[in-house]
Amino acid sequence: MRKPLFFRLPAILALCFLLSQCQRHHPLPETVAGYFPHPAFLQEGIAQKYYFHYQRPDQSEIWTNINYLTYQINDQQELIITNYDADFTPNRLRRVVFDHGAMEVLEDVQYDGADTTRSAMLHPTMRNWLADTATLIKEKKAGELIIQSTEQQIQRKDTLIENRPGVIFYGQYEAIRYAAGDTTSFSNTFTETYLEGLGLYHQHFQSDRFQGTLELIAQMPMPEFRKQQQHGLERVAYIDPEHTLGYRPDFKLCTTTEAIIDYYNADPDIHYRGGKYALWKAIRPQLEPGKLENASGYLTFRFVINCEGETGRFTLEQADLDFQPTQFPEQTVVHLGEITAGLTDWQRGQLKGEPADAYAYLTYKLKDGELVELLP
């Protein structure tokens, strides 16, 4: 489990300077613009980091991965929305425009390794901020395979989350697959939440095969995101062993610093045994409310799990509920840090049957001195 890489304040302040300098017309109408990042951020480009939790109906365990999404306005004043896997590989690109409150898809491209597939838009309206309904129909062809999908918005509702105005869209999705005379179909229901200044904040899918939830955990300027795409020793997950919190000073790797993998690349991916239920069960009895000091925000401990399931090399990241950098009270940090370092039931790391060390993370979401969520 890794954790949020929150706004870098100098980079955001540099973008804020553009607010008074940028004279370009904002392509999002007023009824929609408030639910996306500020126009200056969209011109420069901004990246969103999400946890994606998914669960199959026959399993109690919830699995978590990381997804990214970027927003950027192109020279034609179209909004480019690109989705990325946890390793920063793009998997989808959509080019959209807005007609009053309607969000219309001009192009939808999906990437799968070296393969690129474009969908033909039969009806382009993906969402409508001014009406309850909208319909997106598209068709994708690959050789003899044809997939026609229909995404219907069936209700729009105003909301307020963490004191931010927002809009929730309710809808349903169906895909029909035609191949060699055989027809199969898949369907699910969904909800999507957009919040003021943030764009897509939360998404939930539900079908008879699985359920999945996407939740926003961090934002960053595009230059920072591009920097993190550059893999190598000091990639996004890298923890400098010379600058850690000091827990477990006798911690040892099974491999080398260069060989540490990300938790989702392990086989199976590394998590706390028994899942989130077991994690809550281990943490809750140790909490001392007085040491949480009415704190609110996201307190993230990043660390390494070795092939024996031992943890070490702890580092800390702190953000408020708006994903801005903050400082938690020292006794809150120490209290939750000691609890985290004391967790012992992590799955052992391995890759292709060989011992492995992996980067992981655990985030405590606090609100008014109460632990309300463990992430991922």
Side-chain angles (χ1 to χ4, degrees):
M1 317 167 203
R2 289 178 311 179
K3 237 26 186 181
L5 301 161
F6 301 100
F7 275 123
R8 302 300 194 268
L9 189 56
I12 291 298
L13 289 176
L15 276 180
C16 288
F17 174 73
L18 295 176
L19 305 186
S20 61
Q21 302 297 314
C22 180
Q23 300 300 318
R24 298 175 67 180
H25 172 66
H26 186 18
L28 277 63
E30 185 178 351
T31 51
V32 175
Y35 299 106
F36 284 86
H38 192 280
F41 298 161
L42 293 179
Q43 298 289 357
E44 177 77 10
I46 191 165
Q48 319 264 97
K49 181 179 179 181
Y50 298 88
Y51 284 143
F52 179 54
H53 311 287
Y54 53 100
Q55 180 182 28
R56 297 188 181 279
D58 58 340
Q59 299 176 345
S60 60
E61 194 152 15
I62 298 174
W63 302 91
T64 299
N65 210 332
I66 291 173
N67 290 171
Y68 295 92
L69 177 151
T70 61
Y71 294 119
Q72 190 161 27
I73 300 296
N74 67 10
D75 291 339
Q76 289 72 46
Q77 299 297 282
E78 301 160 340
L79 180 62
I80 306 300
I81 305 172
T82 309
N83 297 79
Y84 297 81
D85 294 327
D87 63 357
F88 299 99
T89 301
N91 59 59
R92 187 179 188 186
L93 181 148
R94 283 167 293 171
R95 197 161 48 88
V96 307
V97 294
F98 294 85
D99 182 6
H100 300 290
M103 182 178 186
E104 299 188 346
V105 181
L106 301 179
E107 182 179 32
D108 190 335
V109 183
Q110 292 184 298
Y111 308 104
D112 185 5
D115 296 328
T116 300
T117 307
R118 284 178 167 79
S119 296
M121 296 299 134
L122 306 183
H123 196 284
T125 308
M126 177 179 169
R127 298 290 177 268
N128 196 323
W129 267 260
L130 297 179
D132 271 336
T133 60
T135 301
L136 174 67
I137 304 175
K138 58 186 182 180
E139 187 174 85
K140 180 169 62 176
K141 296 181 179 180
E144 295 184 358
L145 173 65
I146 300 175
I147 300 177
Q148 187 175 104
S149 60
T150 301
E151 187 174 312
Q152 291 185 304
Q153 170 192 321
I154 58 177
Q155 187 182 3
R156 172 206 178 281
K157 186 172 74 172
D158 292 325
T159 189
L160 187 69
I161 299 175
E162 306 291 358
N163 295 319
R164 285 181 183 262
V167 173
I168 302 177
F169 296 105
Y170 299 85
Q172 54 195 25
Y173 171 87
E174 182 180 32
I176 303 175
R177 177 187 176 105
Y178 306 93
D182 186 34
T183 301
T184 56
S185 64
F186 167 79
S187 63
N188 66 257
T189 59
F190 66 84
T191 61
E192 281 185 351
T193 303
Y194 287 77
L195 287 190
E196 181 182 75
L198 296 179
L200 180 63
Y201 173 77
H202 186 273
Q203 195 173 47
H204 181 74
F205 309 87
Q206 179 82 49
S207 76
D208 58 358
R209 300 181 188 178
F210 81 104
Q211 62 176 342
T213 300
L214 195 72
E215 59 177 332
L216 179 67
I217 57 166
Q219 289 183 312
M220 67 192 84
M222 190 66 81
E224 175 68 16
F225 178 73
R226 296 303 183 202
K227 179 181 177 181
Q228 292 185 14
Q229 280 186 294
Q230 307 305 311
H231 286 269
L233 176 60
E234 296 195 24
R235 63 192 189 278
V236 59
Y238 176 70
I239 295 174
D240 184 347
E242 302 301 320
H243 297 87
T244 61
L245 297 177
Y247 301 116
R248 302 285 184 87
D250 56 345
F251 174 78
K252 289 182 174 58
L253 297 176
C254 298
T255 57
T256 65
T257 296
E258 292 80 3
I260 301 175
I261 62 175
D262 298 303
Y263 79 95
Y264 51 81
N265 285 329
D267 183 21
D269 62 351
I270 293 176
H271 57 281
Y272 201 74
R273 297 180 190 275
K276 188 171 288 189
Y277 172 80
L279 201 54
W280 272 105
K281 189 175 180 180
I283 291 173
R284 198 188 300 275
Q286 302 183 63
L287 290 174
E288 297 181 34
K291 292 184 177 180
L292 300 184
E293 290 196 30
N294 206 37
S296 294
Y298 298 89
L299 189 60
T300 296
F301 293 93
R302 298 181 53 244
F303 48 94
V304 177
I305 301 175
N306 69 15
C307 69
E308 298 297 329
E310 300 167 338
T311 56
R313 297 191 180 183
F314 289 83
T315 63
L316 177 67
E317 293 173 353
Q318 306 174 69
D320 64 22
L321 293 174
D322 290 327
F323 311 111
Q324 301 293 316
T326 192
Q327 293 291 322
F328 281 79
E330 183 177 356
Q331 75 163 351
T332 301
V333 172
V334 171
H335 180 49
L336 295 180
E338 290 175 345
I339 290 175
T340 305
L343 297 170
T344 59
D345 209 8
W346 297 101
Q347 181 177 319
R348 297 183 179 190
Q350 65 176 22
L351 180 65
K352 297 180 179 178
E354 298 294 326
D357 306 306
Y359 291 114
Y361 50 86
L362 177 62
T363 292
Y364 297 85
K365 182 179 179 181
L366 302 171
K367 188 171 183 181
D368 299 327
E370 180 183 356
L371 177 61
V372 295
E373 195 169 0
L374 294 172
L375 299 169

